[in-house]
Amino acid sequence: MASWISDGSRRREMKIHIFFLLVWLASTLQAVKVSPLIEKISDHKDFKKLLRTRTNVLVLYTKSGSSGDSQLKLLSDVSQVVKGQGTIAWVNCGDSEGRKLCKKVKVDPSSKSSGAELLHYKDGTFHIEYSRPATFKSMVAFLKDPTGAPLWEDNREAKDVVHVESEKDFRKLLKREERPVLMMFYAPWCGVCKRMQPIFQQAATETKGKYVLAGMNVHPAEFDGLKQEYDVKGYPTFCYFQKGKFLHHYENYGATAKDIIDWIKNPQPPQPKAPEVPWSETESPVFHLTDDSFDGFLEEHPSALVMFYAPWCGHCKKMKPEYDEAAETLNKDKHSPGVLAAVDTTIHKAVGERFKISGFPTVKYFQKGEDTYTLPHLRNKDKIIEFLQNPQPPPPPEQSWEDTPSSVSHLGLEDFREALKKKKHALVMFYAPWCPHCKNAVPHFTTAADLFKEDRKIAYAAVDCTRGQNHELCKQEGVEGYPTFNYYNYGKFPERYNGDRGEAGFIGFMRSLRGRDQEKVGKKKEEL
C-alpha cells in the first residue's frame, strides 16, 4: 500500500513538473517569434561562410537566449522588408558554441547594459557598430543603404522639425494644427535638400511654439498624387499652410534660417519666375531650355553642352559671361562642333530632377540625346570650346587624402577610441575635404606623420567629419570649424593644438611632448 502511494505521488509530481515545463516552453516560444529569415549562427565556420557569401549583414550578438528579445522581435519585422537586400543574423553568446564564436570575433555583449550588441559587416569584413535609433524605419533604411546618410528624423538637431511619414499623418497635421505650417517636401538623395536641412532645422528651433516647420520624404511613387496636388515638380518644394489651407510656395533656395523666419512672419506669394540676373535667349547666344523644349532641342542638336544653373548661385554668375562668349564664338563657326544651352533648374524642376542635379553649376555633354559626360572642370571659354572640338571624358576625380598612401591614420566613429587608447601621444586633425585651410595643412601634417612613423607611441590621425557617422563623432569632440586639431594622451583629450599649421609646428609640438617624457624619466632615475 505504501509503495502504491509513493508511486502515485511520484507520478503526480512528474506530471506537475511536465506541466510547468510545458508552460515555460509555451511562454518562451510566445515571447519572441523569431523570423525564419534571421539566420541563427553558432559555428565560426558558418559565420565566415555567411560573411563570404553575403555582402550586407547585420549581426545581433546577445549575452543569453532571452536578453535580445526586444531586438529579435524588431529585427524579425525588419527582415521581411529587407529580404534580398540585406541579411540579419543572431549569435547567442550565452550557449557553449556561441560563446566560442563570440570569443573568436572578440564581441562581448555582456558589457552592454542591454545585453546585446549590433554589428554590421560589409563585403566580408566588419563595417560599423549600429548606433542609429533601434526603430523599424531606421533599421530598414540602414540595411537598404548602409553607407548612406541617416534618416533626417534621426538627427538630434532636427528634433524641432515635425517629421511626417504618411499622407494620412500629413492630412491630420493640417486638420488639427492651428499654427501656420511650412512643409518641406524632399527626397533623401537630393543635394539641395541636404544643404537646406540644417538651415530649416535652425529655423524650426528658433520659431518653436509659434510656427510648425515640417518635413516629408515624398520621393516614393505612393506620394505621386500628393505631389501633383501641391505642384511638387522638384526637390525641395516648400508649401505654406494656414489653418489647413495651402497659401503659397516658398522659393528662396539660397535662404538662411533668418530668411525663412522673416518670410513666415510675413508670407508673400513668390515673385514672377524670372532669373535674378536676366539671361534670356534674346540677350545671349546660349539656347535657354525649358522642361518642355529640352528633349526636342537635343534631338535637333547631336552635340550639345548644357549648363544646369540656379540664379542665386555665385559660381553660375561667374561662369555666365564665359559661357556666353564661348557660345558666340561657336555660333560664328559654320562648322561648329556643337551648341551651348542652359537650364534654370529652380524654374524647370522636372529636368533637374530627371538628371539628379544636386549642385550648381552642373555641366553635362549630350551626344545624340544621350547624357554622355558630366564635366566639372569646364568653367571658362577656352576649355569649353576645346572640349567641343574634341569631346573626351573628364579627368578622374582628385584622389582623396584617405586613399593617398601616408603615415596618417584615418579614423572613423567605429575605430576612433580603440586606436587612440593604444597611443601615448596622438595629434588628430578633424577636417572636411572641401575646406581650403584643410587642404593647405594636409601636406605638412603628412610630412610630420612620416617623420614619426617608426615611433609606436606616437600617431598623427585624421577624421573626415563629412563622412558617414563621423559627423556625430566630430560633434562629440567639440569640432566647430575646420580644421580642428586635438591632442590625445592614451585616448584622453588634454588640450587643443592651436599652433603653426606648417611642418615645423606639427613636428615641434610632438618633439616637445617627447621632451617632457624624457624629463620625467630623468627625474625618476635621479630619485632612484
Side-chain angles (χ1 to χ4, degrees):
M1 182 72 178
S3 174
W4 180 83
I5 291 170
S6 61
D7 286 345
S9 297
R10 278 196 292 273
R11 286 194 198 98
R12 281 196 298 274
E13 195 175 324
M14 191 177 291
K15 283 180 180 178
I16 290 167
H17 279 305
I18 291 169
F19 171 76
F20 281 112
L21 181 62
L22 290 170
V23 168
W24 178 80
L25 283 170
S27 63
T28 303
L29 290 170
Q30 194 174 4
V32 179
K33 292 178 181 175
V34 180
S35 167
L37 293 172
I38 293 182
E39 303 207 19
K40 178 78 166 65
I41 304 287
S42 57
D43 182 76
H44 190 243
K45 286 182 180 177
D46 292 340
F47 180 75
K48 286 170 75 176
K49 184 182 176 182
L50 179 73
L51 298 189
R52 192 170 63 249
T53 55
R54 310 289 175 85
T55 59
N56 179 18
V57 184
L58 186 64
V59 182
L60 172 69
Y61 297 90
T62 62
K63 71 176 182 181
S64 67
S66 59
S67 59
D69 283 0
S70 59
Q71 289 98 326
L72 282 169
K73 186 176 184 301
L74 175 60
L75 288 169
S76 292
D77 295 334
V78 172
S79 66
Q80 304 290 331
V81 181
V82 299
K83 183 180 177 182
Q85 294 174 280
T87 300
I88 298 173
W90 172 35
V91 179
N92 176 9
C93 298
D95 63 33
S96 57
E97 287 300 312
R99 194 177 298 116
K100 290 177 188 174
L101 171 57
C102 293
K103 279 185 179 179
K104 281 190 176 180
V105 296
K106 297 179 181 177
V107 176
D108 181 17
S110 62
S111 63
K112 302 286 182 179
S113 58
S114 62
E117 190 167 358
L118 270 170
L119 302 182
H120 183 259
Y121 298 82
K122 184 175 179 293
D123 299 326
T125 58
F126 171 71
H127 171 227
I128 197 170
E129 180 179 353
Y130 181 86
S131 57
R132 298 185 191 181
T135 64
F136 174 79
K137 192 177 178 186
S138 293
M139 285 183 160
V140 168
F142 175 79
L143 278 167
K144 286 188 174 182
D145 185 10
T147 58
L151 295 173
W152 190 14
E153 52 263 48
D154 289 348
N155 185 340
R156 291 175 193 169
E157 293 178 6
K159 66 183 185 302
D160 296 321
V161 174
V162 176
H163 299 279
V164 182
E165 292 189 22
S166 66
E167 185 171 344
K168 185 180 178 182
D169 292 340
F170 170 71
R171 304 286 179 197
K172 277 185 181 178
L173 175 70
L174 295 186
K175 190 174 180 181
R176 73 166 187 263
E177 192 53 67
E178 289 292 319
R179 293 168 295 177
V181 175
L182 182 62
M183 173 65 69
M184 177 177 172
F185 293 116
Y186 69 95
W189 49 260
C190 157
V192 180
C193 305
K194 289 175 185 175
R195 181 177 57 76
M196 291 205 71
Q197 280 172 357
I199 296 163
F200 198 71
Q201 288 163 196
Q202 186 184 341
T205 299
E206 291 183 21
T207 59
K208 188 178 178 182
K210 297 178 181 177
Y211 303 93
V212 174
L213 272 68
M216 185 175 181
N217 171 17
V218 293
H219 182 60
E222 64 188 274
F223 300 116
D224 284 352
L226 195 66
K227 286 185 276 191
Q228 190 173 359
E229 183 179 349
Y230 293 105
D231 198 29
V232 179
K233 291 178 179 175
Y235 305 116
T237 293
F238 296 91
C239 294
Y240 178 79
F241 300 87
Q242 273 188 359
K243 295 184 178 177
K245 291 183 180 179
F246 169 67
L247 294 185
H248 310 303
H249 280 110
Y250 175 69
E251 296 189 347
N252 183 1
Y253 299 104
T256 62
K258 184 179 182 301
D259 292 332
I260 293 173
I261 294 166
D262 289 344
W263 187 86
I264 56 177
K265 286 178 180 176
N266 182 29
Q268 298 294 321
Q271 296 301 309
K273 293 179 178 179
E276 208 173 273
V277 177
W279 196 31
S280 66
E281 193 169 351
T282 55
E283 295 175 1
S284 88
V286 172
F287 292 92
H288 289 261
L289 309 181
T290 66
D291 286 334
D292 297 329
S293 67
F294 190 85
D295 290 328
F297 178 82
L298 293 185
E299 283 178 19
E300 292 176 19
H301 300 86
S303 176
L305 207 60
V306 181
M307 174 182 167
F308 297 86
Y309 74 98
W312 44 261
C313 156
H315 293 295
C316 304
K317 291 175 185 176
K318 190 176 178 181
M319 185 176 166
K320 279 178 186 177
E322 296 280 342
Y323 205 64
D324 272 338
E325 284 182 33
E328 193 171 348
T329 302
L330 290 165
N331 291 350
K332 288 176 183 176
D333 186 352
K334 291 181 181 178
H335 305 287
S336 176
V339 294
L340 301 189
V343 180
D344 180 351
T345 49
T346 65
I347 296 175
H348 308 290
K349 296 178 182 179
V351 72
E353 182 185 336
R354 184 169 139 201
F355 294 103
K356 291 186 168 51
I357 304 301
S358 58
F360 305 108
T362 293
V363 180
K364 285 183 172 288
Y365 176 63
F366 293 85
Q367 194 168 42
K368 295 179 181 177
E370 293 293 322
D371 178 5
T372 309
Y373 302 131
T374 300
L375 304 151
H377 64 297
L378 296 189
R379 288 291 183 269
N380 63 49
K381 171 190 168 183
D382 294 335
K383 283 190 175 179
I384 291 166
I385 294 171
E386 184 185 327
F387 171 81
L388 279 174
Q389 287 170 342
N390 183 27
Q392 295 293 321
E398 187 181 331
Q399 192 176 27
S400 69
W401 186 18
E402 197 165 344
D403 294 333
T404 306
S406 78
S407 302
V408 175
S409 300
H410 291 272
L411 306 177
L413 182 65
E414 68 279 359
D415 59 358
F416 183 81
R417 305 282 170 211
E418 286 304 312
L420 295 190
K421 280 179 188 175
K422 298 172 185 174
K423 301 295 179 180
K424 186 171 187 180
H425 302 300
L427 186 60
V428 182
M429 175 175 166
F430 297 89
Y431 73 100
W434 46 260
C435 154
H437 296 298
C438 304
K439 289 178 181 178
N440 290 338
V442 164
H444 306 299
F445 197 78
T446 303
T447 301
D450 288 341
L451 184 68
F452 290 96
K453 66 181 177 183
E454 301 298 331
D455 194 323
R456 293 182 180 180
K457 292 183 179 180
I458 289 175
Y460 283 79
V463 176
D464 179 354
C465 294
T466 67
R467 188 169 179 177
Q469 293 182 311
N470 289 357
H471 173 70
E472 196 61 35
L473 169 63
C474 296
K475 226 170 104 179
Q476 290 168 11
E477 299 307 305
V479 177
E480 294 178 351
Y482 307 122
T484 291
F485 298 91
N486 284 357
Y487 164 64
Y488 295 86
N489 178 251
Y490 289 122
K492 292 182 180 177
F493 168 65
E495 63 181 288
R496 181 155 287 170
Y497 173 78
N498 291 311
D500 178 62
R501 293 178 183 177
E503 291 167 29
F506 295 135
I507 293 169
F509 176 73
M510 200 60 76
R511 280 180 174 158
S512 70
L513 294 172
R514 281 208 314 187
R516 286 185 220 167
D517 292 343
Q518 287 167 358
E519 282 178 19
K520 286 179 184 176
V521 170
K523 283 181 182 178
K524 282 183 180 178
K525 283 181 178 178
E526 285 175 15
E527 288 170 7
L528 290 169

